[in-house]
Amino acid sequence: MGILNDDAVVIKEPETAGDNTLITVNCPDKTGLGSDLCRVILLFGLSIARGDVSTDGKWCYLVFWVVGKPTTRWYLLRERLLEVCPPCTPALSEMFYFRPEFQQPKPPNVFLLKFWCTFDRKGLLHDVTKVLCELELAVKRVKVFTAPDGRVMDLLFVTDTRELLHTKRRQEETKSQLNAMLGDNMISFEVELAGPGVMANPHGSAFLPPAITDDMYGLELSGTNMSGTLSSNRVSITVDNQLSQSHTLIHIVCQDHKGLIYDIMRTLKDYNIQTSYGRFSSKGKESFEVDLFVMQVDGKKIVDTEKQNVLCSRLKMELVRPLRVEVMSRGPDTELLVANPVELTGRGRPLVFYDITLAITSLSIRIFSVEIARHMIGDREWEVYRVLLDEGDVALVPRNLIKECVVKNLMGWE
């Protein structure tokens, strides 16, 4: 039945410097496959320059032209893309592709990494985060404590993409990589399986400041009108039911940002909208154009005006401001808050914590403590990062500059 799974993903690196890397995916279809593939591409820190997507509901063919990096591990990217592709065996009939149990893997085990360092330094947490990303360990929660004598204890709750952190070999690899980076600064290191209650209730305190929550309520129905230099207002979304007899065309023109196609695809996935054909590409330095021929899960066009408005408003919200960033006072201290929506599958946006720590490090600000938690705001779940900054360092950097730097890093804007 079709091609072998090992050939489902083909990556062709550019022959000429400056050209894009070509990723081809040819496999059985499933609801949300485009979102899952784009999430993996974003997880590896790559941006999509253009792409083509086509499917008949049973089999799909996707092509992505991505901007690579010298450090990109293409063999590992291919493995991760293969993992989200549905299995291709004669034993599976087409009706299995859309069954939830074949789409939703069981939640991975959560492990606690606990280590002490002799002293804090600027960029320490980012360097740790970078090592964990290279090891494919995803940070779920963080607690960082600085003792009065200057020593630092890091508690990081992580999941392992390779699902091997329970083994001694994988734990030793993690310790070795961190020790190579920290050197004599590391005092001790421990790995243990987190208790079942750690992530069973990952929600933080109920209170979030209005600066984060105000534009999250009723935004889909009222439309988005968010101004400022830290958000993109150049978003145009049109719906056309005349061009195709069987599909609704969604045409989007917007400013490009990191994870743009992922933001579109995960939104359609959350609304159970299936994409049969799509084409997207960069139109200049800042503009991106997307054409998607879609249909509802029942195989019909989106003809209801209210449904069209709700979907367009949600898409516009995700494209104007996919993340919320604020810098504010928390008592005598300064706190950075970053919030991003969680997929209905329970997964947050990739690399958010990495980008936050990179931005803070570039400003030569030390991080005093971090809390990552989930919050229900309206009918949606959000992943909120609360970063308490070193007040001595913050006094030298204007708050608006901190916010601008974090936003630009998260959005991939120079």
Side-chain angles (χ1 to χ4, degrees):
M1 173 182 170
I3 60 176
L4 296 175
N5 240 9
D6 284 346
D7 298 326
V9 177
V10 177
I11 298 179
K12 183 179 180 181
E13 297 184 49
E15 298 178 357
T16 306
D19 289 347
N20 297 326
T21 298
L22 179 64
I23 301 176
T24 303
V25 181
N26 192 5
C27 67
D29 198 7
K30 71 172 183 179
T31 303
L33 177 61
S35 172
D36 294 343
L37 293 171
C38 290
R39 188 180 192 279
V40 173
I41 292 172
L42 177 59
L43 182 61
F44 276 73
L46 306 176
S47 59
I48 299 174
R50 61 189 178 104
D52 283 280
V53 177
S54 61
T55 178
D56 59 2
K58 301 176 183 178
W59 202 269
C60 65
Y61 184 73
L62 307 96
V63 183
F64 301 101
W65 286 264
V66 303
V67 181
K69 299 179 179 179
T71 57
T72 300
R73 293 173 290 178
W74 297 108
Y75 72 96
L76 201 55
L77 172 63
R78 180 176 177 273
E79 287 183 17
R80 298 298 167 254
L81 291 172
L82 280 170
E83 288 174 359
V84 302
C85 293
C88 175
T89 63
L92 289 175
S93 66
E94 62 191 56
M95 67 178 181
F96 288 129
Y97 299 153
F98 296 94
R99 284 175 54 175
E101 58 266 36
F102 279 82
Q103 297 180 39
Q104 307 298 338
K106 68 176 183 177
N109 289 324
V110 179
F111 291 84
L112 169 62
L113 307 185
K114 179 168 63 176
F115 54 93
W116 278 94
C117 295
T118 54
F119 61 91
D120 193 8
R121 62 171 172 80
K122 295 175 182 178
L124 175 64
L125 189 55
H126 173 67
D127 290 342
V128 170
T129 305
K130 183 178 180 180
V131 171
L132 297 182
C133 287
E134 292 172 351
L135 288 166
E136 295 189 278
L137 299 177
V139 178
K140 297 299 181 183
R141 298 180 69 178
V142 180
K143 287 288 185 181
V144 181
F145 301 99
T146 303
D149 61 1
R151 293 186 303 161
V152 179
M153 181 176 70
D154 288 0
L155 301 176
L156 296 105
F157 295 89
V158 304
T159 57
D160 186 4
T161 301
R162 303 178 193 176
E163 298 185 353
L164 294 173
L165 200 52
H166 63 282
T167 66
K168 184 174 180 60
R169 180 176 179 180
R170 180 67 162 154
Q171 292 178 8
E172 287 298 323
E173 178 190 18
T174 303
K175 179 179 180 180
S176 175
Q177 295 275 17
L178 287 170
N179 194 47
M181 183 272 296
L182 293 170
D184 295 337
N185 194 16
M186 180 185 285
I187 301 174
S188 63
F189 177 83
E190 299 176 27
V191 182
E192 61 185 55
L193 183 64
V198 171
M199 299 304 293
N201 183 24
H203 294 86
S205 61
F207 173 76
L208 282 176
I212 287 290
T213 60
D214 277 354
D215 64 356
M216 296 180 184
Y217 289 104
L219 202 54
E220 296 136 28
L221 296 178
S222 62
T224 52
N225 182 21
M226 294 176 286
S227 60
T229 59
L230 302 181
S231 62
S232 170
N233 284 324
R234 297 190 294 274
V235 177
S236 170
I237 302 177
T238 57
V239 176
D240 188 343
N241 275 314
Q242 304 301 317
L243 197 61
S244 170
Q245 293 183 348
S246 56
H247 292 81
T248 295
L249 169 64
I250 299 178
H251 178 70
I252 303 172
V253 180
C254 61
Q255 183 178 3
D256 195 6
H257 69 253
K258 185 188 299 183
L260 169 67
I261 303 301
Y262 165 69
D263 288 328
I264 294 173
M265 292 298 183
R266 68 173 170 80
T267 302
L268 296 178
K269 179 182 179 181
D270 284 351
Y271 276 86
N272 269 327
I273 302 296
Q274 299 174 5
T275 302
S276 297
Y277 176 76
R279 175 169 291 180
F280 36 91
S281 61
S282 175
K283 302 293 182 181
K285 187 176 181 181
E286 294 186 345
S287 179
F288 210 92
E289 189 168 344
V290 181
D291 284 306
L292 301 172
F293 286 85
V294 303
M295 59 183 178
Q296 299 176 125
V297 70
D298 59 5
K300 298 180 180 179
K301 295 196 291 185
I302 310 172
V303 295
D304 184 273
T305 304
E306 184 176 351
K307 289 182 179 179
Q308 291 179 13
N309 291 338
V310 169
L311 178 60
C312 289
S313 294
R314 172 64 70 86
L315 281 169
K316 188 172 184 179
M317 181 181 71
E318 302 297 348
L319 298 178
V320 169
R321 191 181 294 176
L323 302 103
R324 276 64 172 172
V325 179
E326 289 295 338
V327 180
M328 58 190 60
S329 296
R330 182 176 171 184
D333 302 313
T334 298
E335 184 178 54
L336 166 70
L337 288 96
V338 178
N340 63 276
V342 176
E343 293 182 24
L344 291 184
T345 57
R347 297 182 303 185
R349 189 185 189 87
L351 296 183
V352 172
F353 189 55
Y354 175 87
D355 287 335
I356 291 172
T357 57
L358 179 60
I360 296 301
T361 299
S362 71
L363 295 173
S364 297
I365 298 175
R366 281 172 293 200
I367 294 174
F368 185 77
S369 65
V370 180
E371 177 186 309
I372 305 174
R374 300 287 178 90
H375 293 262
M376 290 301 299
I377 303 173
D379 62 346
R380 302 184 69 189
E381 187 175 37
W382 293 74
E383 194 168 59
V384 180
Y385 298 74
R386 309 186 75 140
V387 184
L388 204 60
L389 305 176
D390 186 279
E391 197 58 34
D393 297 333
V394 171
L396 304 176
V397 184
R399 290 186 179 182
N400 64 326
L401 180 59
I402 298 173
K403 179 177 179 179
E404 182 176 353
C405 184
V406 172
V407 169
K408 287 183 175 180
N409 214 51
L410 288 166
M411 299 289 278
W413 295 338
E414 296 181 357

